[in-house]
Amino acid sequence: MTATAPPAEAVEASAESAPRSGLRPWLSRHPLAAYALRRFGLYLIELWGALTVAFFFFRMIPGDPIQTLIQTLQQNYVYNQQASAEVIARYQHEFGLDGNIFTQYLKYMNNLILHGDLGPSLINYPTPAQNVILHSLPWTIGLLGISAVLAWVLGIIVGAVAGWRRGKAGSAIITNLSIALSHVPFFFVALILVYVFAYSLGMLPARSAYDSNISPGLSPAFIGSVLKYGLLPGLSIVVIGAFGWILSTRMLMVPVLGEDYLTYAEAKGLKPWRILTRYALRNCYLPQVTAFGISLGFIFNGNVLVEQLFNYPGLGTTLVTAIQQLDFNTILGVTDMAIFSVLTAVLLLDLLLPLLDPRVKYWK
Amino acid sequence: MRLLTAVLRTVRDSRRLATGLVILALMVLLAAFSPLIVHSIGNGNDPIALAAYQKWLVPSSDHLLGTDQFGRDVLAMVVSAMSVSLQIGAIAGVISTVVGVIVAFVAGYKGGWVDGVLSTFTGILLVIPTFPLLIALSAYAKNVSLFQVGVMISIFSWPFAAKTIRSQVLSLRSRPYVDLARVSKARDLEIIGTELLPNLLPFIGVGFASSALGAIFGLVGLEVIGLGPGGVIDLGQIIFNAINTGALTLGAWPMFVVPIVLLTLLFAALNMVNIGLEEVYNPRLRGVAGE
C-alpha cells in the first residue's frame, strides 16, 4: 500500500470505448446521452455476467439429468429396458448436454439470445422449458402482482398518516409494529392464517389455486373461485409487505416535517390534507415509485415458500419441482427471467429518474 | 479503545437499538444454556430422543408444549433448535460482513478501475435470485453440515453488505479530516482503522444484522421445503414437521406457533437493531426535527 492520494474524482471505468471521431466531443456536450449510453453498457455487462454465473453455477451441481429422465420413463412403463448409449447420446444432444461445458455454454447463450429458446424441459418432456414457465407465469404475476400493488398503496397511506401524526399514541403503535414485523417472512403469516381460517374455522381453502370442479375459463364461477383461493396467500403478502412500505414512507417523510416551507404552508392557512399530500409527501413519491418498480422486478422470483405452502401452481412451485428433477433448462429459464426483469426494472428507473428529478445528477 | 467508546455511545443514544440488543442478548443466553435446559427437561434422559415419551401428548405440566409425532418433547426441541438458528445467523453474518467490509473498503478507498470491476461484480451477484441457488446447492451437496450451509448462504449475502458500506466509504473518503490524515503521512491502513472504521460502525452493524436475518430465514426456508442440513434440528425443521405430520389439523398448535413466535421475535430484534442504527447516524429520522 502506498500513500499516494487517489484522484479526487474516481475515473469512470467506461463500459464501451467510444471511437475518437466526433462521438466524444458530442458526448461531452450531451451529458445525459453519455450517461444513458454508459448506463446501458453497464446493464449489458451485468446481464451477461449474471446469466453466465447462473449457467455455470447450475452446471456445477453433480447429478445426471438424463439418467433421471430415463428412470422416470421406466417408472411410467413407457420404457422398460436399459437405455442404449445411442439413446443417451441423443437425449444429451437434445438437452444441450453434449460436448464440453464451454461448447454447451456457447450453444445455450446462442439459443437464448437469438431464438429465445431454453431447450426442452425435463419435467414436461418434450415441451420447451419456456412454455412450462409461461404456463405458471400468470398465477405468479396475478397473485404476487396484485398483492404487491395493494401492499404498496396501503403502506403509503398508513405510513403518511403515521408520519404526519407522529408523537400521537396510535402512530407510535403502528411504527413500532412495523419495525417489529416488516422483516417477518410472508410464510409465517401464511401458516397462521391457514391454521385459523382453513383448519380451525374451515372457512377458506388452503391448497391449490382454484376449485378443481370448476373448469378454467372466464366464467364468473371460475373467477370467484380464483379470488377465494388466492385470498389467504395474497393476504399474507399484503399484510407484511404493507409494514415495510409504512416504515419507508415514514422514514422519508419525517425528516422534512420540520422544514420552513411546511411552516409557511401552515401559516398560509392551507388545509392539513393538502399540506400532507402536496408538500410533506413530495419527498416520498419518487423514491417510493422507484422502490416499487424494483420490487416488481423481484416478483418473477416467485415466492417459493408461500407458493409451496398453498400448492399454488406458480413459478416458485415450478422451480422447486424442476430442481428436484434436475431440470436444468427450466431452472435456468426461471432464474434468467428473474435476473432479466430485475436488471431491466432498475435500468428503466435509472434512465427515467434524471428526467423526473432535478436533484439527481447524471454526471460523475 | 476509540471503537469501544463509539459503540457504547451509540447504544446509549438509541432506545430502539438497546431494546433490540437486549432481546438478542436474552435469546443468545437461552441458546447458550440450551444444553442445560434440555437436560433438566429430560430429568437425566434425552427428551429429544425418538420415542422418549408418548407421541402427540397435549401441553401439560409435564410437557409444557406437548410432544411431537415421535414422542419428543417440543419445548426441548424448540430450545435447542433456537441455538442452531442463532448459530447459522452468526456464521453467515460474520463471514459476509468481513468479506463485504473488505470489498467495500478496497473498492471505495482505491476508486478507479478497481472500484469499477468490484462494483460491477457486486451488482451481478445482487441480481441473481439466491433462493433457487441455495435450494440447488443443498439438494445435491451430500451431507452438508451446518457450517457449510452458513458458508453457502454468505456467498450470496455479502454483496448487500458491500454495497451499503461502499457508498459510505465514498462519502467519508472525501471528508476534510481524512484528507488531513493523508497529508500528515498516515498510512492507508492507519487511516482506515482510526478514521473510517469508527464512523462506519453503524453501517457495518446494519450489514451484519441483515446478513444474519437473511441466513436464518434462508435455513428456515430450506427446511420448510425439506432440504436442510442433516443431523441438526433448527426452528425451520420443527415447522416443516408440523406441516407434514398434519399438526395443524391435529390441533398441536405449539409445534408451529412457538417456533414462528420465536423467529418473529428474532427478526423483530434484528430489525430494531437495524432501524436503531439508522436513526443513530441520521438523527433527523428520530422525528424530532423542528419540534
Side-chain angles (χ1 to χ4, degrees):
Chain A
M1 285 231 176
T2 53
T4 47
E9 66 282 324
V11 186
E12 267 296 323
S14 119
E16 63 288 317
S17 54
R20 292 209 161 276
S21 56
L23 186 57
R24 216 161 257 258
W26 184 84
L27 281 180
S28 61
R29 281 198 311 277
H30 299 81
L32 191 56
Y35 161 79
L37 262 177
R38 207 174 50 224
R39 185 65 192 77
F40 189 70
L42 187 67
Y43 164 78
L44 289 181
I45 287 179
E46 286 190 338
L47 191 59
W48 168 81
L51 294 181
T52 305
V53 170
F55 175 88
F56 282 104
F57 180 90
F58 281 113
R59 283 298 151 105
M60 280 192 322
I61 295 170
D64 188 351
I66 306 296
Q67 284 301 334
T68 317
L69 174 73
I70 288 169
Q71 272 168 8
T72 317
L73 291 176
Q74 282 171 340
Q75 275 164 5
N76 298 340
Y77 306 108
V78 181
Y79 197 97
N80 54 8
Q81 46 193 308
Q82 283 309 311
S84 66
E86 280 157 56
V87 172
I88 293 181
R90 170 70 209 289
Y91 274 129
Q92 283 192 323
H93 178 73
E94 218 170 297
F95 284 103
L97 293 165
D98 50 346
N100 71 23
I101 188 138
F102 288 101
T103 42
Q104 288 180 25
Y105 169 69
L106 289 176
K107 190 172 146 190
Y108 181 85
M109 291 302 252
N110 181 19
N111 282 345
L112 175 67
I113 294 160
L114 296 181
H115 313 285
D117 182 22
L118 299 165
S121 95
L122 236 161
I123 26 183
N124 286 345
Y125 185 76
T127 321
Q130 58 267 32
N131 295 9
V132 173
I133 293 170
L134 282 177
H135 194 76
S136 56
L137 200 54
W139 293 111
T140 289
I141 293 183
L143 175 66
L144 296 180
I146 294 172
S147 310
V149 173
L150 285 177
W152 187 68
V153 172
L154 195 69
I156 299 263
I157 294 172
V158 178
V161 174
W164 187 248
R165 300 172 51 87
R166 71 192 188 290
K168 305 270 194 316
S171 158
I173 290 172
I174 286 189
T175 306
N176 285 318
L177 205 61
S178 309
I179 288 176
L181 296 181
S182 62
H183 270 271
V184 173
F186 302 142
F187 172 76
F188 291 0
V189 183
L191 246 182
I192 301 283
L193 285 175
V194 165
Y195 181 66
V196 173
F197 289 101
Y199 292 119
S200 300
L201 303 175
M203 281 169 26
L204 287 164
R207 294 189 77 68
S208 129
Y210 55 88
D211 190 341
S212 53
N213 300 327
I214 305 173
S215 59
L218 280 175
S219 63
F222 179 71
I223 292 172
S225 164
V226 168
L227 288 177
K228 188 175 160 186
Y229 277 73
L231 189 61
L232 281 186
L235 199 61
S236 62
I237 297 171
V238 170
V239 169
I240 295 295
F243 279 127
W245 293 115
I246 289 174
L247 216 51
S248 51
T249 305
R250 191 182 160 278
M251 285 221 162
L252 285 164
M253 194 170 119
V254 165
V256 301
L257 287 177
E259 295 283 354
D260 291 344
Y261 67 87
L262 284 181
T263 319
Y264 176 66
E266 227 167 320
K268 274 204 306 194
L270 293 178
K271 294 205 165 53
W273 182 249
R274 197 181 160 80
I275 298 177
L276 174 65
T277 51
R278 291 290 172 82
Y279 290 71
L281 271 176
R282 255 301 168 62
N283 270 329
C284 311
Y285 291 141
L286 216 51
Q288 290 300 61
V289 170
T290 310
F292 184 60
I294 292 173
S295 76
L296 277 188
F298 277 98
I299 278 183
F300 293 93
N301 287 333
N303 198 317
V304 178
L305 289 181
V306 172
E307 285 187 11
Q308 277 277 304
L309 177 68
F310 288 97
N311 210 359
Y312 214 81
L315 277 179
T317 310
T318 306
L319 186 67
V320 174
T321 317
I323 288 177
Q324 281 163 353
Q325 308 222 1
L326 285 180
D327 182 354
F328 281 140
N329 292 335
T330 307
I331 302 170
L332 267 176
V334 175
T335 317
D336 289 352
M337 201 176 60
I339 291 169
F340 176 77
S341 58
V342 173
L343 276 175
T344 309
V346 177
L347 172 80
L348 289 177
L349 289 164
D350 271 358
L351 291 180
L352 286 174
L353 261 179
L355 304 176
L356 298 173
D357 187 346
R359 290 169 310 177
V360 173
K361 288 214 301 255
Y362 42 75
W363 57 89
K364 278 277 167 93
Chain B
M1 196 60 232
R2 279 186 58 182
L3 275 179
L4 195 67
T5 47
V7 172
L8 284 174
R9 202 176 50 234
T10 311
V11 174
R12 208 186 47 220
D13 280 353
S14 165
R15 211 175 38 180
R16 244 174 220 140
L17 181 60
T19 315
L21 285 175
V22 166
I23 296 177
L24 271 184
L26 285 175
M27 294 185 116
V28 169
L29 271 179
L30 188 66
F33 286 109
S34 66
L36 282 175
I37 298 171
V38 169
H39 192 76
S40 70
I41 292 174
N43 273 333
N45 303 322
D46 182 6
I48 311 181
L50 295 183
Y53 310 101
Q54 281 186 310
K55 57 183 182 181
W56 294 126
L57 288 176
V58 285
S60 65
S61 57
D62 290 341
H63 303 283
L64 288 176
L65 301 177
T67 58
D68 73 346
Q69 80 272 24
F70 297 123
R72 295 177 292 190
D73 185 272
V74 173
L75 178 62
M77 275 170 73
V78 166
V79 171
S80 58
M82 205 177 88
S83 83
V84 173
S85 289
L86 283 173
Q87 279 168 30
I88 198 93
I91 294 168
V94 168
I95 296 177
S96 39
T97 310
V98 169
V99 176
V101 166
I102 293 172
V103 171
F105 269 111
V106 172
Y109 197 75
K110 284 288 166 199
W113 67 269
V114 178
D115 186 20
V117 170
L118 283 176
S119 301
T120 308
F121 187 64
T122 310
I124 285 172
L125 281 185
L126 271 175
V127 293
I128 300 180
T130 53
F131 205 59
L133 298 189
L134 208 55
I135 299 175
L137 268 179
S138 64
Y140 304 112
K142 290 271 180 295
N143 308 324
V144 277
S145 71
L146 188 67
F147 183 77
Q148 283 164 321
V149 174
V151 174
M152 285 184 212
I153 294 176
S154 7
I155 295 173
F156 305 115
S157 57
W158 69 261
F160 177 77
K163 197 179 175 174
T164 316
I165 299 165
R166 175 184 163 267
S167 54
Q168 289 309 310
V169 175
L170 283 181
S171 82
L172 283 178
R173 200 185 61 181
S174 51
R175 301 270 167 92
Y177 66 87
V178 177
D179 286 336
L180 184 67
R182 214 180 266 129
V183 170
S184 61
K185 286 278 186 291
R187 288 199 319 278
D188 274 357
L189 273 176
E190 213 175 317
I191 295 176
I192 288 174
T194 57
E195 308 291 345
L196 296 181
L197 261 179
N199 290 302
L200 282 170
L201 273 184
F203 299 92
I204 294 172
V206 168
F208 178 84
S210 309
S211 307
L213 222 131
I216 293 165
F217 177 54
L219 186 61
V220 169
L222 283 180
E223 294 280 13
V224 166
I225 301 181
L227 295 171
V232 283
I233 301 175
D234 78 317
L235 288 170
Q237 199 176 348
I238 301 178
I239 297 174
F240 171 71
N241 279 339
I243 297 172
N244 275 16
T245 54
L248 289 105
T249 42
L250 287 167
W253 58 268
M255 221 175 127
F256 61 95
V257 170
V258 176
I260 285 181
V261 167
L262 275 178
L263 280 169
T264 303
L265 202 61
L266 188 60
F267 285 128
L270 284 170
N271 208 27
M272 274 181 209
V273 171
N274 261 350
I275 307 254
L277 285 169
E278 271 180 32
E279 285 176 344
V280 167
Y281 60 72
N282 190 352
R284 306 185 66 180
L285 287 177
R286 290 178 216 166
V288 290
E291 291 285 77

